[in-house]
Amino acid sequence: MTESGDETVTLKPLDPFALIVDFRSGALEPHTSRTERRVSDMHGAYADEQALSQLVKDGDPLVYEVLQYDVPEEVGQLICCTTVLQPGTVGDEYFMTKGHYHAARDTGEVYLGLSGHGYLLLMTEDGGRAAKSMGPGALAYVPPYWAHRTVNTGEEPFVFLAVYPGQAGHDYGTIEKTGFPERVLRTPEGVVLR
Ligand code: M6P
Ligand code: ZN
């Protein structure tokens, strides 16, 4: 227990741990949670809602999964997880994560590319925007206040590690309303950000 002024912060004891990350597959062992998102979980995210409905009818493929060894969602903790984003498109738009702001806006995040290729799209509520190319070894910094979404532009799974503060939380609602300024499209000329 630590005391600072009037505030008392209690951290639950947590033993040190070491996990094994398979850079190619994104497997994290052991993990205590696995979140999967299928095409049917992505309504509203892609421009081509008709293509999305067709994909749902055709078997509702997996878009991505997040593997995590859970720690308390508290100040002082760091959450570590791997994301495995499958290759594919909805219409001409590459598979991507939902994307989120942190509920606690003043928290950042670090992404490390492990395998495959894609983009990290970022934006702020006051009009900031950025896109970072991601591949094996790319270390991307998401500053506080920046929403973030990843996109797989390759032919194999795009796998990355994320580390972020325990209290961050996920705000998906704001993205559902505003979307991201850029869409990442498969075109005959190659990958286009539009
Ligand atoms: C990264 C982290 C996670 C996030 C995941 C999938 O691993 O940022 O916090 O859950 O990507 O992204 P989203 O939650 O936007 O679907
Ligand atoms: Zn985040």
Side-chain angles (χ1 to χ4, degrees), residues 100 102 109 111 148 164 170:
H100 59 274
H102 288 163
E109 186 157 351
Y111 279 11
H148 35 293
Y164 60 99
H170 295 77

Side-chain angles (χ1 to χ4, degrees), residues 95-118:
F95 275 8
M96 61 190 180
T97 58
K98 281 163 119 39
H100 59 274
Y101 285 99
H102 288 163
R105 290 287 196 273
D106 59 351
T107 53
E109 186 157 351
V110 167
Y111 279 11
L112 176 65
L114 302 180
S115 62
H117 291 88

